[in-house]
Amino acid sequence: MFDWNDLTFFLELARHGRLMPAAKRLKVDHTTVSRRVAELERSVDAKLFDRRPDGFVLTEHGHRLFAIAEAIECKALSVHGVLGSPVSTQPVGRVRVASMEGIAAFYLSGRFRELARTHPEIVIELVTERHLINLTKREADVSVSFVPPQGARLKVRTIGAIRLALFAAPAYLAERGTPAGSGDLQQHDFVDYVEDLLAISSVHWLLDVLEPESVVFRSTSLAAQQAAVAAGFGIGLLPLFCAKREPALVPVLSDEVVVMRDVFLSVHEDIEHLGRVRAVTRFLTTLFQRDDAYLTQF
């Protein structure tokens, strides 16, 4: 039989992912947290954490125990309410959200401030990679992407859409002229992705419009592409949510060229019920529904 008190140390380390923040929360030394968690692992005869350079990550067994431990904690906290001395049951801990660079930097990062106001004890870790993060391997807790990730026991749903459009700098259009129709586009220079380094083919969205004959600048970074378009390199296909932040960009053929992408929210079913994860997924779902016009209309 294990020591019930060890679950408290386990919960805080699982939520914070590092010994020092967990120890600070529990008002003990970090070595105490490490020792108590190690004792719990020995007692239940299971490895609960993978020790990595960037912190502690729950294993499959760890996730299963976390769900049970959090339910026990919730019951314990309810005692105060029954006895007339309520305490806060706000969700606590870190939630790692994986997304693509553009939507993370130009849209999500600033808006997570709204979540912080209502759930100040949730720490968001916003992870961006050129490839899809693997939720099944616990590389992240939640995914927001234009492509539904693959994996066992994932809950995936569409929470919104984004629109992309052609943009150019006024200086470029003054020099080269403004296309009167899509048939004029092959006469222009374009900014695009580096094809052989493109990990997710569906974000090569310019191919939805045309395969340009003249590409004068390529980058794996959407932010770099936008900067190049704003500098006058050529025309680029950009999401409205990032182009709206750059006053130097002018829409090109906005009524004729319409490219849409669904936005998928994904979470592993083992952790979808956790309070902090539920809070984040609810926030993201509401956010995309609320901002539909901003994301899809000029």
Side-chain angles (χ1 to χ4, degrees), residues 73-133:
E73 179 189 55
C74 186
K75 288 292 186 182
L77 290 172
S78 70
V79 171
H80 294 274
V82 171
L83 299 180
S85 54
V87 297
S88 172
T89 56
Q90 282 283 324
V92 175
R94 66 173 185 172
V95 177
R96 182 166 292 179
V97 179
S99 192
M100 296 159 182
E101 177 218 18
I103 199 166
F106 290 108
Y107 180 66
L108 288 178
S109 56
R111 284 163 176 79
F112 272 125
R113 178 64 181 133
E114 300 174 32
L115 178 69
R117 293 190 183 100
T118 56
H119 295 88
E121 296 200 62
I122 293 179
V123 177
I124 295 296
E125 295 184 347
L126 188 54
V127 180
T128 63
E129 294 286 352
R130 289 190 296 110
H131 63 275
L132 286 177
I133 294 291

Side-chain angles (χ1 to χ4, degrees), residues 244-266:
K244 285 180 176 180
R245 297 163 57 100
E246 176 53 78
L249 295 177
V250 177
V252 175
L253 301 176
S254 58
D255 294 330
E256 188 173 342
V257 176
V258 178
V259 177
M260 302 290 290
R261 286 288 189 276
D262 287 332
V263 178
F264 297 94
L265 176 70
S266 310

